[in-house]
């Protein structure tokens, strides 16, 4: 008969005495509780964001704030860099807007990044506009989304780019119509500055917009990139100085020294005076103007039925707004051009607030473009 061996543990040892007997480090109950509570709160927010993203966003809006910490009237920080593709393009600009939202220790960065580049072609103006050049806009890019071979994803994205391309084309061309009505001479519009020889030669400005990352409000970033690239497209070739007509060739234009012109462009320092100089024989036109936009999400609080404008909505916010209002501002005349799509009717006070916000934003961006 085998004898039972004595247990190495003390008799009737509790969990705490067992820990003391084994000389284990003690833990503070308060610290454990705090960490557990914080982790639980963070997990709840992340869970709500995943399961009900609309409610997650609305909870912020009801407290008159936003998931990334901005106020309703606050735009994301914007950075504009020009000339990075010189001399491979006539002008170029990279626009980046970034914001960061943080839940406990988890940070999420949302970025919108758009690259625009311009090229110049010489051709004949249309018969109905003999003293105007023309503009062609192309929009490409994946928006930072890896859609792979997803046919529906590719089709939807291409539809979005087609809509953006049509809006940019229309916005740039409408500038000409407004200035023609105002002073009868094309004013500071882009097409009027592309004239070389009335009725015989003009420049075509091709603007290629590449969407590198789409973090929301791609319209404002794309238009700003176009304007910054247009500013960087300086100096324009001039008739008689860079280009000469050859009567024996039917008045066709030839470069005097193309390599010298390209070298001048490669080493040029863009100034406001350069932007204001014209490239043809009519030098009494007003300074070059720009058009910028401010997009606002429209949200109606279901509790008190008040309407709020969310400036520069992120891609996550844009999914849950009740409408979208875009105000295009001419930096020279201050003229506003609204475009609204949505189901919430806007009052005169709403439009007045939108106009005030848009003008303030235009002043900020004009300082960047004209610097």
């Amino acid at each position: 008969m085998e004898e039972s061996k004595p247990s190495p543990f003390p008799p009737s040892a509790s969990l705490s005495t067992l820990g003391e007997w084994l000389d284990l480090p003690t833990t503070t109950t308060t610290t454990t509780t705090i960490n557990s509570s914080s982790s639980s709160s963070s997990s709840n927010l992340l869970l709500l964001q995943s399961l009900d993203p609309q409610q997650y966003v609305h909870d912020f809006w009801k407290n008159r704030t936003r998931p990334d910490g901005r106020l309703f009237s606050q735009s994301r920080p914007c950075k504009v860099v020009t000339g990075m593709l010189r001399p491979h393009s006539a002008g170029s600009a990279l626009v980046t807007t970034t914001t960061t939202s943080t839940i406990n220790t988890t940070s999420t960065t949302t970025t919108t990044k758009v690259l625009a580049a311009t090229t110049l072609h010489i051709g004949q103006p249309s018969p109905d506009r003999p003293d105007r050049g023309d503009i062609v806009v192309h929009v490409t890019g994946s928006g930072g989304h890896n859609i792979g071979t997803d046919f529906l994803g590719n089709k939807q994205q291409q539809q979005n780019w087609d809509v953006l391309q049509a809006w940019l084309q229309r916005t740039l061309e409408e500038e000409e119509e407004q200035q023609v009505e105002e002073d009868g001479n094309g004013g500071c519009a882009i097409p009027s500055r592309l004239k070389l020889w009335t009725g015989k030669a003009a420049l075509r400005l091709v603007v290629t917009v590449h969407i590198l990352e789409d973090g929301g409000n791609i319209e404002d970033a794309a238009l700003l990139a176009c304007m910054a690239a247009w500013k960087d497209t300086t100096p324009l070739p001039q008739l008689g100085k860079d280009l000469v007509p050859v009567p024996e060739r039917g008045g066709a234009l030839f470069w005097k020294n193309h390599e010298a012109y390209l070298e001048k462009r490669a080493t040029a320092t863009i100034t406001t005076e350069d932007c204001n100089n014209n490239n043809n024989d009519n030098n009494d036109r007003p300074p070059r103007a720009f058009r910028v936009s401010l997009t606002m999400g429209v949200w109606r609080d279901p509790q008190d039925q008040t309407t709020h404008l969310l400036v520069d909505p992120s891609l996550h916010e844009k999914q849950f707004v009740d409408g979208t209002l875009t105000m295009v501002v001419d930096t020279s005349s201050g003229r506003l051009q609204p475009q609204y799509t949505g189901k919430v009717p806007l009052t005169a006070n709403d439009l007045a607030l939108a106009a005030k916000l848009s003008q303030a934003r235009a002043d900020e961006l004009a300082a960047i473009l004209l610097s």
Side-chain angles (χ1 to χ4, degrees), residues 53 100 117 145 147 154 188 197 207 210 221 228 291 319 326 328 347 370:
T100 302
H145 306 297
I147 54 180
N154 278 294
C188 51
W197 193 358
V207 185
H210 192 74
R291 290 169 65 80
Q319 305 176 58
T326 300
V328 180
T347 65
L370 296 176

Side-chain angles (χ1 to χ4, degrees), residues 161-175:
W161 294 167
D162 290 344
V163 172
L164 176 62
Q165 176 176 298
W167 178 76
L168 291 172
Q169 182 84 40
R170 185 171 64 251
T171 300
L172 297 178
E173 289 177 346
E174 284 173 353
E175 180 183 13

Side-chain angles (χ1 to χ4, degrees), residues 23 123 163 189 204 220 256 263 270 284 312 315 336-337 352:
D23 196 20
V163 172
R204 165 174 286 181
D220 291 359
K256 272 188 173 182
E263 183 179 355
I270 310 302
D284 57 353
D312 189 15
L315 186 63
L336 298 173
Q337 180 183 352

Side-chain angles (χ1 to χ4, degrees), residues 38-111:
S38 177
S39 176
S40 176
S41 176
S42 174
S43 299
N44 290 339
L45 286 175
L46 293 173
L47 185 61
L48 179 61
Q49 184 179 10
S50 301
L51 297 181
D52 194 348
Q54 182 175 4
Q55 184 61 42
Y56 170 80
V57 173
H58 280 183
D59 285 346
F60 281 95
W61 291 351
K62 290 175 183 177
N63 292 306
R64 303 301 181 259
T65 185
R66 301 163 76 169
D68 55 14
R70 288 183 292 153
L71 302 175
F72 282 1
S73 59
Q74 189 175 0
S75 299
R76 288 175 289 182
C78 179
K79 181 180 180 181
V80 181
V81 180
T82 59
M84 75 289 297
L85 297 182
R86 191 182 301 174
H88 304 289
S89 67
S92 58
L94 176 66
V95 173
T96 306
T97 60
T98 304
T99 185
T100 302
S101 57
T102 303
I103 301 176
N104 197 18
T105 59
T106 304
S107 298
T108 303
T109 300
T110 304
T111 302

Side-chain angles (χ1 to χ4, degrees), residues 235-295:
L236 296 175
Q238 300 180 26
L239 184 64
K241 184 178 181 180
D242 303 302
L243 300 165
V244 292
V246 180
E248 295 79 6
R249 297 289 186 91
L253 298 180
F254 287 85
W255 288 97
K256 272 188 173 182
N257 191 335
H258 193 205
E259 294 182 357
Y261 171 75
L262 293 179
E263 183 179 355
K264 179 175 64 174
R265 272 213 44 81
T267 58
T269 301
I270 310 302
T271 64
T272 303
E273 183 179 358
D274 293 330
C275 294
N276 295 340
N277 287 338
N278 201 20
N279 65 305
N280 53 48
D281 55 347
N282 189 0
N283 295 318
D284 57 353
R285 294 181 176 176
R288 184 184 296 194
F290 301 96
R291 290 169 65 80
V292 296
S293 62
L294 180 65
T295 298

Side-chain angles (χ1 to χ4, degrees), residues 187-210:
C188 51
I190 296 177
S192 66
R193 294 183 178 273
L194 300 177
K195 181 183 77 170
L196 290 173
W197 193 358
T198 303
K200 295 185 178 181
L203 294 171
R204 165 174 286 181
L205 181 70
V206 180
V207 185
T208 302
V209 180
H210 192 74

